[in-house]
Amino acid sequence: MTEQASRLTIDYRNAMAGAVGEAHGVSDAMLDELAPEVARQHARLTAEHDVGGQRWMDLPSDTALAAEITAFAEGQRDRYDDFVLVGIGGSSLGAIATIQALTHPYRNLQPAAERGGPRFFVLDNPDPEKVAATLGTVNLERTLVNVVTKSGQTAETMANFLAARQALDGAVGPDRARQQIVATTDPESGLLRQLADQEGYRTFLAPPGVDGRMTVLSAVGMLPAAFCGCDIGGLLAGARAMRARCQSGEVRENPAYLLAALTVLGAARLGKSILVTMPYADALFGITDWFRQLWAESLGKRLANDGSEVFAGQTPIKALGAIDQHSQIQLYTEGPNDKQICLIGVDAYRARVEITGVPAGIPDLDYLRGAELGQLLQREEVATAWALTQAKRPNFTITAPTIDAAIVGEFFYLYELQTVMAGGLLNVNPFGQPGVEAGKNATYALMGRQGYEQLRDELTVPAAGGDRYRLVAG
C-alpha cells in the first residue's frame, strides 16, 4: 500500500526575531542553541518506543482496529436513530473534534438518509439540565450508548452513564438495554471493565499504556466517528503521513519539534506564557478544544523530572477566526505582549458562497461585488497575521490544503508529538495529571465514597441542619 504524504504547511517567519524583534521573537541562535537538546530528546523518545514505550506512536498503524470498528459501525448504524457518547476530557474531545471537522455542521438536523449515521449527542459535564434534556430528546428505543472511561473511576462519566443506563432500562427493559450499550475501557481491570463483564456489554479497548488525552486515534475517538460516517481509515493514514514526516531529530526539519521549540523558547525566554490557537474554519474549532486539554494537562506541571519545583506550562487559549477578530484581537495586538498566536488556514474550503447581489447606489459595498466568502476568510487570516506582526506579536501559521480525514489525522499526530517533545524540553513528564487528582479525591469524599471518610471530615464542618463544606483549605 502506497502511503500518502503529509500536506500541512507551517510558516513560522512571523514568530522569529527578524519579524517581531529580539524581545519577542525566537532567534536563529536560540534554535541553534536548543537543537542538540531536541536531538537528544528525539533519541530518547525513539529508544523508549523501541523497547515498548511511547505506545501512542503506534496507534496510527492499527488498521485492523479501524477495519473492525468500521465493520461494526456499518453493521449497527441503521439500527439506531441516536448515538450518545458518555465521556469527558480525553474520552470525548477527540471524537467531538473529528465529527465536527468531517461532517455537516448541522448533521443532527439533517434527514437520516443524508447525515450518514445516527444523530450524535455527548454527555460529558454532569449538568442535570443538559443530561435530562439529552435523555428526553433521544429515541431511547433506538439509541446506542457508548460509555468511555479507561478505569471507570471518573465520577462524572460513571454518574452520567448510570443515568443513561437507568433511562434505557426504563424504556426498553434491562435485557434489551444491555444490547444497546458499548463500553470502551481497559482490557483487564477497572470498574467499567468489571461492570461490562458482569452485564455482557460489547466492549472496545482503551489502549493500555496510553494516556486518555492521547487516545483519539484509538477506539476511544474512532468508534463515535465511524458511527457518524467519518473515514477513520483516512484519519489514520493522515496520522501516519505526519509520523513519517517527523522522523528527523533536526529541529528545523521536523515540524512537531519546530513548533515545540518555538513555544518552549517563547515561554521560557521571551515571556510568552499564553499560546492562542485560532483556526479560520468553524470545522477545525473542535481541534483547538482537544489541543487545549492536551497542552494544558500534559505540560502544566509543578515538578520537574528531578523533583524540583518549576511550575511549567503555557496557558492554551482557543479562538476562532474571523469571529474573534471582533472579540480578542484587540487584546492580542494592544494588550500584554505575553502570547504566541497560531493561526490555522485553509487553502480550499469545501463549499463556495459567492456574492452576486450587491445593491446598486451604495459604493462602499462595491468591494464585495463578485467576492467569495472563503476568499474573504483567507484574506482576513493574512490580514490578522500582518496586523499581529506589525504590533510585534509573534505568530505562526499552519495551512491545510482542505479539510478531510487525513488532514485531521495529521493535526492529531502533529500536536501530540509537539506536546511530548515540549515536555522533554521543559524536563517535565507530559503524561499523567497529578494536579487533577486532589479535586477528584475531594469529590469522592464529598459524595460519600467508601474509603474517603477522613478526607470528608477535613472538607466539612458540622453545622445545624447537616454538614457544610469548608470554603477555605486548611
Side-chain angles (χ1 to χ4, degrees):
M1 180 176 66
T2 301
E3 293 286 351
Q4 63 186 68
S6 168
R7 293 175 293 151
L8 291 178
T9 60
I10 300 173
D11 184 344
Y12 64 100
R13 290 172 294 180
N14 291 342
M16 300 297 287
V20 295
E22 292 185 358
H24 303 294
V26 173
S27 67
D28 285 317
M30 287 182 188
L31 283 179
D32 292 339
E33 180 184 341
L34 194 62
E37 181 60 17
V38 170
R40 190 181 77 81
Q41 293 295 332
H42 171 71
R44 176 185 63 82
L45 293 174
T46 301
E48 290 176 358
H49 177 256
D50 288 345
V51 296
Q54 303 293 339
R55 297 173 71 174
W56 63 272
M57 293 180 174
D58 296 325
L59 297 181
S61 298
D62 201 346
T63 55
L65 175 63
E68 178 188 358
I69 290 173
T70 299
F72 178 72
E74 290 177 350
Q76 297 288 317
R77 190 182 290 134
D78 291 342
R79 296 179 56 187
Y80 298 105
D81 296 332
D82 300 305
F83 184 103
V84 177
L85 171 60
V86 184
I88 197 167
S91 296
S92 62
L93 290 173
I96 294 170
T98 302
I99 293 164
Q100 181 177 342
L102 300 179
T103 67
H104 192 283
Y106 302 108
R107 72 176 299 279
N108 277 6
L109 300 180
Q110 289 183 293
E114 295 179 16
R115 65 172 176 259
R119 297 185 299 175
F120 178 63
F121 298 88
V122 180
L123 296 182
D124 41 19
N125 209 32
D127 183 318
E129 296 181 5
K130 177 185 175 181
V131 173
T134 301
L135 296 176
T137 297
V138 300
N139 178 6
L140 288 167
E141 293 187 358
R142 290 177 54 84
T143 291
L144 185 69
V145 172
N146 176 209
V147 54
V148 184
T149 169
K150 189 171 186 177
S151 65
Q153 299 280 1
T154 309
E156 301 91 343
T157 297
M158 292 308 293
N160 281 340
F161 171 60
L162 293 176
R165 179 175 179 263
Q166 179 176 300
L168 279 179
D169 285 351
V172 302
D175 290 340
R176 184 173 160 192
R178 293 186 186 96
Q179 306 304 312
Q180 293 179 216
I181 294 171
V182 176
T184 306
T185 190
D186 189 88
E188 297 180 353
S189 62
L191 295 179
L192 183 55
R193 168 52 60 185
Q194 179 182 344
L195 180 60
D197 290 346
Q198 174 182 303
E199 298 294 311
Y201 300 152
R202 175 69 160 90
T203 61
F204 285 88
L205 304 185
V210 180
D211 274 22
R213 57 187 174 273
M214 308 284 278
T215 57
V216 61
L217 298 174
S218 74
V220 172
M222 292 197 299
L223 180 62
F227 264 88
C228 291
C230 299
D231 175 13
I232 61 174
L235 194 73
L236 294 188
R240 291 195 300 275
M242 180 54 70
R243 184 177 63 184
R245 184 176 172 185
C246 292
Q247 294 302 302
S248 172
E250 164 55 46
V251 66
R252 290 180 175 84
E253 295 178 3
N254 186 315
Y257 294 173
L258 174 63
L259 292 177
L262 290 174
T263 49
V264 167
L265 287 170
R269 303 272 292 272
L270 300 169
K272 311 307 176 189
S273 60
I274 297 171
L275 176 61
V276 179
T277 305
M278 187 171 181
Y280 277 74
D282 286 43
L284 297 179
F285 197 39
I287 290 179
T288 68
D289 219 11
W290 169 84
F291 174 68
R292 184 175 61 157
Q293 184 212 9
L294 177 71
W295 196 247
E297 210 165 64
S298 298
L299 304 181
K301 299 294 167 63
R302 178 174 68 91
L303 299 179
N305 290 324
D306 61 7
S308 61
E309 284 193 334
V310 289
F311 300 103
Q314 197 180 32
T315 301
I317 300 293
K318 61 178 183 177
L320 180 62
I323 290 173
D324 284 311
Q325 290 176 202
H326 303 271
S327 170
Q328 299 295 303
I329 287 295
Q330 173 63 34
L331 173 68
Y332 299 165
T333 55
E334 294 192 3
N337 198 339
D338 56 358
K339 304 167 189 69
Q340 290 175 316
I341 297 97
C342 172
L343 306 176
I344 299 177
V346 179
D347 281 338
Y349 295 93
R350 293 167 291 184
R352 288 181 58 84
V353 177
E354 296 182 359
I355 300 172
T356 58
V358 176
I362 306 180
D364 283 349
L365 289 178
D366 284 347
Y367 76 100
L368 291 175
R369 190 182 309 278
E372 194 275 323
L373 294 189
Q375 177 192 58
L376 173 62
L377 205 54
Q378 289 164 341
R379 293 182 179 179
E380 295 212 55
E381 173 216 326
V382 172
T384 299
W386 177 85
L388 289 168
T389 305
Q390 288 291 109
K392 300 190 181 303
R393 311 297 161 126
N395 62 93
F396 50 92
T397 301
I398 303 174
T399 303
T402 189
I403 302 172
D404 58 27
I407 284 296
V408 173
E410 284 202 51
F411 271 112
F412 285 146
Y413 195 88
L414 172 71
Y415 280 146
E416 287 174 343
L417 184 55
Q418 174 191 348
T419 301
V420 172
M421 172 54 72
L425 297 178
L426 292 168
N427 192 31
V428 299
N429 180 6
F431 306 108
Q433 49 276 344
V436 178
E437 297 307 314
K440 281 187 176 182
N441 291 337
T443 299
Y444 294 150
L446 292 172
M447 291 298 291
R449 182 172 178 177
Q450 187 175 356
Y452 292 82
E453 292 82 4
Q454 181 177 346
L455 180 56
R456 184 181 187 279
D457 291 342
E458 295 177 16
L459 290 166
T460 58
V461 293
D467 291 343
R468 60 183 175 85
Y469 307 143
R470 289 187 186 274
L471 300 181
V472 180

